[in-house]
Amino acid sequence: MIASLSFSLESNETPRYQQLQQQLLEAIEQGRLAVGDKLPSSRTFARSLGVSRSVVIQTYEQLIAEGVLRSEPKRGIFVAPVERISVSAEPAATLVESSRKGGFDSGVDVSQFPSKEWAASMRRAWLTPDPNVLMGSYRAGLPALRQAIVAYLYALRGLSCLPEQVVITAGSRDAMALLAHALQSSCRHWFLEEPTYPPLHASLANVAVQPLAVQSDGALPPTQVSDWTAVLTPNRQYPLGISYSSPVREQWLDALQAGQGFIIEDDYDNEFLYQGRASVPLMQLAQHRGSAQERIFYVGSLSKVLFRGLRMGFIIAPLSQVDRLLSSQQALGVSASLPMQPVVADFMTNGSFYRHLNRMRRHYREKRDALLALLSEHLEPWFEWDKPSGGMHVIAYFKSHIRQPEQVWRQLDQACAEQGLALSWLHQHYHSLPEPLPRPGLLLGFTGPSTEQLDQWVRLIALHAKKIML
């Protein structure tokens, strides 16, 4: 079907992935793409368009998140059943934003962004621009930024690494696509934690993914195969918020030392620790375990601290694997914005980044405490929760006395959606629901919304919960 459609991307102010999103939406709205139609693989589609594969991957991920497309393991990407897709002449970014409901968001609170300090870094970074930046010559990223990230990881996470190990990416999804390409010749089996961050499945749509059940002390290494790659969040598992125990960490390191696989360690929100001490990254522990240190990659995001639109992150790779990553980057195309890297490097090296991080840590802790107070005041009869020591969301579970919990969450979800509040449920983070079904729980991100929004939304949940559960 799609072979008969005409798609073309232009070099203009609108990013290419947004152009492609808009054209796909228009094709579905106009009936040129029907429900159930299969889209080409990201590699095939990118080749036909003459663009980087990351452009197609980013497009697919966004439309999957919006419910326009669906990803089916081992089958591909398909047009999903939707009631209506509204297409206008506005840019794709405006279209996507206007279609979203409000919700508990664990994103960045941009109202606190230090724009004056950022503007000063922009001026300094571009007074005398580096000719190699203008020419796009830094394959792995700006040297000054790679050095700044090394210093940052050592100061914040106790991770010792070299600038030569750092590869700058266009965020964690770009990093995942790059690693999937680089490791495809070594690994036939890919494992994701269950539950996990749903867009990860879209990022790995071209490989066979299997689940790793997360227990109270973490997920265990696969034992049936040896040529695997596992994507883990061991320091603060998403979405459950648990930390892998020391015995479980040792099992993973033993497997790596035996040459049984690779680990991609995603340290997605460990900048925001409010009490206690953070766990040592697996990559740091692996440095004392011989060959294990050659089989673990560390993925981080600068967008989680600064702002989502930055779309910048990094991979810390073993020295023996850096050339492999750069070869994959050349094949897929460089997605990270090189012109922004001198700005970020200046922002980090002059101390603005650390001051901002400390302010945001205090600000998010206050938001967490405000949300917990609201939960205690309004939702205590029906939900229970723990006070997280870090992170950007709280999970509120149904209490055990709630009868017919599946029916209750459906009614609560629909009632809130009708009033513009989109809820995120724990079971939605399972790719294949286990038996028995997981305990119903609400993921309540508190970092993105204002305290006024948190208050409004908690009261709305309480209003409908009272009607449904009493």
Side-chain angles (χ1 to χ4, degrees), residues 200-220:
L200 278 177
H201 285 278
S203 298
L204 300 174
N206 292 323
V207 298
V209 175
Q210 301 174 61
L212 287 172
V214 178
Q215 307 298 332
S216 60
D217 56 353
L220 296 176

Side-chain angles (χ1 to χ4, degrees), residues 243-265:
S243 179
Y244 280 31
S245 68
S246 293
V248 170
R249 289 169 183 262
E250 287 298 313
Q251 290 188 53
W252 281 102
L253 293 173
D254 288 344
L256 294 185
Q257 196 166 9
Q260 292 182 357
F262 293 90
I263 289 176
I264 300 172
E265 180 178 12

Side-chain angles (χ1 to χ4, degrees), residues 137-212:
S137 301
Y138 294 121
R139 294 176 61 202
L142 184 74
L145 179 57
R146 298 166 77 192
Q147 180 63 61
I149 288 172
V150 167
Y152 161 62
L153 291 176
Y154 184 75
L156 187 77
R157 303 292 289 117
L159 176 61
S160 299
C161 57
L162 300 171
E164 293 79 10
Q165 294 178 255
V166 181
V167 177
I168 306 299
T169 70
S172 58
R173 296 183 187 183
D174 178 47
M176 224 43 82
L178 185 59
L179 286 163
H181 186 275
L183 296 175
Q184 62 183 346
S185 63
S186 301
C187 301
R188 292 188 300 139
H189 304 277
W190 284 74
F191 290 88
L192 291 179
E193 296 168 321
E194 188 83 304
T196 191
Y197 183 52
L200 278 177
H201 285 278
S203 298
L204 300 174
N206 292 323
V207 298
V209 175
Q210 301 174 61
L212 287 172

